Amino acid sequence: LLGGYLVVDPAVGGSGWIAGGLFAVAAGGDAVDGPVARAADAVTELGAELDVEVDGATVLVGGAAAVVAGAAPVAFLLVGVARPVFAYGLRRRRRRGLPVYDLRPSRLRVPIGGVAMLATWLALLPVPGEAASRLVTTGAMVPVVGSFVRDWLVASGRI
């Protein structure tokens, strides 16, 4: 449903609130699915993989909608494409027989992902306004992209 906002005129009355609400539902679902699975003792490897992919799709579609609405710079699309490009790079290295190194646990990955989600959500809402949203999304873009670049350098053995 959120993807529909890639083709809806952002000037349509109330559309920002609806887009922000749809993104909040998707992000909120993401925040509770893991704890619910753990509480129900229903954690699976497939579920963990799907969680990461759905998170990435949510940020990609939400970020693209924010860019289309003019509330985020085009460069903010880097936040949405970082995950699929990273995953593609890992698959390509494996197919070519190149080593892929495990990433160490990080206390920063989850908060940085949260920053991306929060910035995207704010950009989709009619408030705080286009200028402030562009500033917030630009500020959020730096740690998100930087985190993926660092993780790529580690996973590819460069650092």
Side-chain angles (χ1 to χ4, degrees):
L1 291 173
L2 182 60
Y5 284 88
L6 297 174
V7 295
V8 169
D9 181 2
V12 173
S15 69
W17 291 109
I18 296 169
L22 289 170
F23 186 84
V25 168
D30 172 55
V32 300
D33 64 349
V36 167
R38 285 187 288 280
D41 196 26
V43 175
T44 65
E45 191 173 316
L46 175 62
E49 288 179 34
L50 286 174
D51 182 57
V52 171
E53 298 307 326
V54 170
D55 293 353
T58 300
V59 172
L60 176 60
V61 172
V67 168
V68 167
V74 173
F76 190 65
L77 292 174
L78 290 172
V79 171
V81 300
R83 168 74 183 128
V85 167
F86 180 79
Y88 171 76
L90 294 180
R91 282 191 307 274
R92 188 160 190 257
R93 284 186 67 81
R94 287 184 180 108
R95 278 194 310 256
R96 294 175 63 205
L98 297 172
V100 173
Y101 300 93
D102 290 334
L103 299 175
R104 285 180 271 152
S106 170
R107 293 186 314 218
L108 294 178
R109 277 190 204 103
V110 171
I112 288 173
V115 165
M117 291 280 200
L118 180 61
T120 304
W121 177 61
L122 288 173
L124 290 171
L125 293 173
V127 291
E130 189 175 303
S133 292
R134 291 177 72 84
L135 184 64
V136 167
T137 54
T138 300
M141 181 175 50
V142 174
V144 172
V145 173
S147 175
F148 275 102
V149 168
R150 184 189 181 288
D151 285 353
W152 173 254
L153 293 173
V154 170
S156 63
R158 289 173 175 85
I159 60 171

